[in-house]
Each structure stands twice: as C-alpha cells, then as structure tokens.
Short mmCIF file of all heavy atoms in Angstrom, two decimals:
data_model
loop_
_atom_site.label_atom_id
_atom_site.label_comp_id
_atom_site.label_asym_id
_atom_site.label_seq_id
_atom_site.Cartn_x
_atom_site.Cartn_y
_atom_site.Cartn_z
N GLU A 1 6.24 -5.50 1.43
CA GLU A 1 6.48 -4.17 1.96
C GLU A 1 5.30 -3.24 1.64
O GLU A 1 4.83 -2.50 2.50
CB GLU A 1 7.76 -3.59 1.37
CG GLU A 1 9.03 -4.26 1.90
CD GLU A 1 10.25 -3.96 1.05
OE1 GLU A 1 10.11 -3.24 0.05
OE2 GLU A 1 11.33 -4.45 1.39
N ALA A 2 4.86 -3.29 0.40
CA ALA A 2 3.74 -2.44 0.00
C ALA A 2 2.47 -2.84 0.75
O ALA A 2 1.69 -1.98 1.18
CB ALA A 2 3.53 -2.54 -1.51
N LEU A 3 2.25 -4.13 0.88
CA LEU A 3 1.06 -4.60 1.59
C LEU A 3 1.10 -4.18 3.05
O LEU A 3 0.06 -3.80 3.63
CB LEU A 3 0.96 -6.13 1.48
CG LEU A 3 -0.36 -6.76 1.96
CD1 LEU A 3 -1.52 -6.30 1.10
CD2 LEU A 3 -0.26 -8.28 1.94
N GLU A 4 2.28 -4.20 3.65
CA GLU A 4 2.41 -3.77 5.05
C GLU A 4 2.11 -2.28 5.18
O GLU A 4 1.46 -1.83 6.15
CB GLU A 4 3.82 -4.07 5.56
CG GLU A 4 4.13 -3.55 6.96
CD GLU A 4 3.29 -4.19 8.05
OE1 GLU A 4 2.60 -5.20 7.77
OE2 GLU A 4 3.30 -3.69 9.18
N MET A 5 2.56 -1.47 4.23
CA MET A 5 2.23 -0.05 4.24
C MET A 5 0.73 0.15 4.19
O MET A 5 0.18 1.01 4.89
CB MET A 5 2.90 0.64 3.04
CG MET A 5 4.42 0.73 3.13
SD MET A 5 5.18 1.12 1.52
CE MET A 5 4.47 2.72 1.16
N MET A 6 0.05 -0.64 3.38
CA MET A 6 -1.40 -0.53 3.26
C MET A 6 -2.09 -1.00 4.54
O MET A 6 -3.10 -0.44 4.96
CB MET A 6 -1.89 -1.34 2.07
CG MET A 6 -1.35 -0.85 0.74
SD MET A 6 -1.95 -1.82 -0.66
CE MET A 6 -3.64 -1.26 -0.71
N ARG A 7 -1.54 -2.06 5.15
CA ARG A 7 -2.13 -2.57 6.39
C ARG A 7 -2.08 -1.51 7.48
O ARG A 7 -3.08 -1.28 8.20
CB ARG A 7 -1.39 -3.82 6.86
CG ARG A 7 -2.01 -4.48 8.10
CD ARG A 7 -1.08 -5.50 8.71
NE ARG A 7 0.12 -4.87 9.27
CZ ARG A 7 0.14 -4.20 10.43
NH1 ARG A 7 -0.96 -4.07 11.15
NH2 ARG A 7 1.27 -3.66 10.85
N VAL A 8 -0.93 -0.84 7.63
CA VAL A 8 -0.80 0.20 8.64
C VAL A 8 -1.75 1.35 8.36
O VAL A 8 -2.43 1.85 9.27
CB VAL A 8 0.67 0.70 8.70
CG1 VAL A 8 0.78 1.93 9.60
CG2 VAL A 8 1.59 -0.41 9.18
N ALA A 9 -1.83 1.77 7.10
CA ALA A 9 -2.74 2.87 6.74
C ALA A 9 -4.19 2.49 7.02
O ALA A 9 -4.97 3.29 7.54
CB ALA A 9 -2.56 3.24 5.27
N THR A 10 -4.56 1.26 6.69
CA THR A 10 -5.92 0.80 6.93
C THR A 10 -6.23 0.81 8.42
O THR A 10 -7.32 1.23 8.85
CB THR A 10 -6.12 -0.62 6.36
OG1 THR A 10 -5.89 -0.59 4.95
CG2 THR A 10 -7.54 -1.12 6.62
N GLY A 11 -5.26 0.35 9.24
CA GLY A 11 -5.45 0.37 10.69
C GLY A 11 -5.63 1.78 11.23
O GLY A 11 -6.33 1.99 12.22
N ASP A 12 -5.00 2.75 10.56
CA ASP A 12 -5.13 4.15 10.96
C ASP A 12 -6.31 4.84 10.27
O ASP A 12 -6.45 6.07 10.37
CB ASP A 12 -3.84 4.92 10.61
CG ASP A 12 -2.66 4.47 11.45
OD1 ASP A 12 -2.88 3.90 12.54
OD2 ASP A 12 -1.50 4.67 11.01
N ARG A 13 -7.12 4.05 9.56
CA ARG A 13 -8.29 4.57 8.82
C ARG A 13 -7.87 5.63 7.81
O ARG A 13 -8.47 6.70 7.71
CB ARG A 13 -9.34 5.11 9.79
CG ARG A 13 -9.89 4.05 10.72
CD ARG A 13 -11.07 4.54 11.53
NE ARG A 13 -11.58 3.48 12.40
CZ ARG A 13 -12.66 3.59 13.16
NH1 ARG A 13 -13.34 4.73 13.17
NH2 ARG A 13 -13.06 2.59 13.91
N GLN A 14 -6.82 5.29 7.08
CA GLN A 14 -6.33 6.17 6.02
C GLN A 14 -6.22 5.37 4.72
O GLN A 14 -6.12 4.15 4.74
CB GLN A 14 -4.94 6.73 6.37
CG GLN A 14 -4.91 7.59 7.62
CD GLN A 14 -3.51 8.05 7.95
OE1 GLN A 14 -2.54 7.62 7.34
NE2 GLN A 14 -3.38 8.94 8.91
N HIS A 15 -6.25 6.10 3.62
CA HIS A 15 -5.96 5.48 2.33
C HIS A 15 -4.74 6.19 1.75
O HIS A 15 -4.74 7.41 1.59
CB HIS A 15 -7.13 5.60 1.35
CG HIS A 15 -6.86 4.95 0.03
ND1 HIS A 15 -6.31 5.63 -1.03
CD2 HIS A 15 -7.03 3.68 -0.38
CE1 HIS A 15 -6.16 4.80 -2.06
NE2 HIS A 15 -6.60 3.62 -1.68
N ARG A 16 -3.70 5.42 1.44
CA ARG A 16 -2.47 5.99 0.92
C ARG A 16 -2.28 5.58 -0.53
O ARG A 16 -2.07 4.40 -0.82
CB ARG A 16 -1.28 5.54 1.76
CG ARG A 16 -1.24 6.15 3.16
CD ARG A 16 0.04 5.80 3.85
NE ARG A 16 1.19 6.03 3.00
CZ ARG A 16 2.43 5.70 3.35
NH1 ARG A 16 2.66 5.14 4.51
NH2 ARG A 16 3.44 5.92 2.52
N GLU A 17 -2.36 6.58 -1.41
CA GLU A 17 -2.20 6.28 -2.83
C GLU A 17 -0.80 5.78 -3.14
O GLU A 17 -0.62 4.94 -4.02
CB GLU A 17 -2.50 7.52 -3.69
CG GLU A 17 -3.95 7.96 -3.67
CD GLU A 17 -4.31 8.76 -2.44
OE1 GLU A 17 -3.50 9.60 -1.99
OE2 GLU A 17 -5.40 8.54 -1.89
N ASP A 18 0.22 6.27 -2.41
CA ASP A 18 1.59 5.83 -2.69
C ASP A 18 1.76 4.35 -2.36
O ASP A 18 2.40 3.60 -3.12
CB ASP A 18 2.60 6.67 -1.93
CG ASP A 18 2.44 6.61 -0.42
OD1 ASP A 18 1.32 6.30 0.06
OD2 ASP A 18 3.43 6.86 0.30
N ALA A 19 1.16 3.89 -1.26
CA ALA A 19 1.24 2.48 -0.90
C ALA A 19 0.45 1.63 -1.90
O ALA A 19 0.89 0.54 -2.29
CB ALA A 19 0.71 2.26 0.51
N ASP A 20 -0.71 2.13 -2.31
CA ASP A 20 -1.54 1.41 -3.28
C ASP A 20 -0.78 1.23 -4.59
O ASP A 20 -0.71 0.13 -5.16
CB ASP A 20 -2.83 2.19 -3.49
CG ASP A 20 -3.94 1.34 -4.10
OD1 ASP A 20 -3.67 0.21 -4.54
OD2 ASP A 20 -5.09 1.82 -4.12
N PHE A 21 -0.18 2.32 -5.06
CA PHE A 21 0.57 2.23 -6.31
C PHE A 21 1.79 1.33 -6.16
O PHE A 21 2.11 0.55 -7.07
CB PHE A 21 1.02 3.61 -6.79
CG PHE A 21 1.76 3.57 -8.09
CD1 PHE A 21 1.08 3.51 -9.29
CD2 PHE A 21 3.15 3.57 -8.13
CE1 PHE A 21 1.75 3.44 -10.50
CE2 PHE A 21 3.83 3.50 -9.32
CZ PHE A 21 3.13 3.43 -10.53
N ALA A 22 2.47 1.43 -5.02
CA ALA A 22 3.64 0.58 -4.78
C ALA A 22 3.27 -0.89 -4.88
O ALA A 22 4.05 -1.70 -5.40
CB ALA A 22 4.24 0.88 -3.41
N PHE A 23 2.09 -1.25 -4.39
CA PHE A 23 1.64 -2.63 -4.46
C PHE A 23 1.46 -3.08 -5.91
O PHE A 23 1.95 -4.13 -6.33
CB PHE A 23 0.32 -2.79 -3.70
CG PHE A 23 -0.23 -4.19 -3.70
CD1 PHE A 23 0.17 -5.11 -2.74
CD2 PHE A 23 -1.14 -4.58 -4.66
CE1 PHE A 23 -0.33 -6.40 -2.74
CE2 PHE A 23 -1.65 -5.87 -4.68
CZ PHE A 23 -1.24 -6.79 -3.71
N HIS A 24 0.76 -2.28 -6.69
CA HIS A 24 0.50 -2.66 -8.08
C HIS A 24 1.79 -2.63 -8.91
O HIS A 24 1.96 -3.45 -9.82
CB HIS A 24 -0.56 -1.74 -8.68
CG HIS A 24 -1.94 -2.02 -8.13
ND1 HIS A 24 -2.80 -2.92 -8.71
CD2 HIS A 24 -2.58 -1.53 -7.04
CE1 HIS A 24 -3.92 -2.97 -8.00
NE2 HIS A 24 -3.81 -2.13 -6.98
N LEU A 25 2.69 -1.69 -8.61
CA LEU A 25 3.98 -1.67 -9.30
C LEU A 25 4.79 -2.91 -8.94
O LEU A 25 5.48 -3.48 -9.81
CB LEU A 25 4.76 -0.41 -8.93
CG LEU A 25 6.14 -0.27 -9.56
CD1 LEU A 25 6.05 -0.20 -11.09
CD2 LEU A 25 6.86 0.97 -9.01
N ALA A 26 4.72 -3.35 -7.69
CA ALA A 26 5.46 -4.54 -7.26
C ALA A 26 5.00 -5.78 -8.03
O ALA A 26 5.80 -6.68 -8.32
CB ALA A 26 5.30 -4.76 -5.76
N ILE A 27 3.72 -5.84 -8.37
CA ILE A 27 3.23 -6.96 -9.19
C ILE A 27 3.89 -6.92 -10.56
O ILE A 27 4.36 -7.94 -11.09
CB ILE A 27 1.70 -6.91 -9.32
CG1 ILE A 27 1.04 -7.14 -7.96
CG2 ILE A 27 1.20 -7.95 -10.33
CD1 ILE A 27 -0.47 -6.96 -7.97
N ALA A 28 3.93 -5.72 -11.16
CA ALA A 28 4.56 -5.58 -12.47
C ALA A 28 6.03 -5.96 -12.40
O ALA A 28 6.55 -6.65 -13.29
CB ALA A 28 4.40 -4.15 -12.98
N GLU A 29 6.72 -5.55 -11.34
CA GLU A 29 8.13 -5.90 -11.20
C GLU A 29 8.32 -7.40 -11.03
O GLU A 29 9.27 -7.98 -11.57
CB GLU A 29 8.71 -5.15 -9.99
CG GLU A 29 8.82 -3.65 -10.19
CD GLU A 29 9.22 -2.90 -8.95
OE1 GLU A 29 9.02 -3.44 -7.83
OE2 GLU A 29 9.75 -1.78 -9.07
N ALA A 30 7.40 -8.05 -10.33
CA ALA A 30 7.49 -9.49 -10.12
C ALA A 30 7.26 -10.28 -11.41
O ALA A 30 7.64 -11.45 -11.50
CB ALA A 30 6.50 -9.94 -9.06
#
C-alpha cells in the first residue's frame, strides 16, 4: 500500500513524506 502511494506520487512528479514514512513504518511493523 505504501509503495503504491509512492508510485502514484512519483508518476505525478511529487514527493510525499507521508507515503515515504508509511513505507519505512511498514518495514518496522513487518
């Protein structure tokens, strides 16, 4: 889910800190 959020932002030429953090938090949760 987090990676998909980042993919969409990247396609829109945006950087989303919330998606970035969600990805790294998901690793900790895993």
Side-chain angles (χ1 to χ4, degrees):
E1 288 164 0
L3 190 64
E4 175 64 11
M5 291 164 62
M6 297 180 72
R7 184 193 66 76
V8 172
T10 300
D12 292 339
R13 298 189 179 184
Q14 298 177 352
H15 181 269
R16 290 188 48 186
E17 292 80 40
D18 61 336
D20 199 349
F21 181 82
F23 180 87
H24 288 270
L25 179 62
I27 294 174
E29 291 172 338

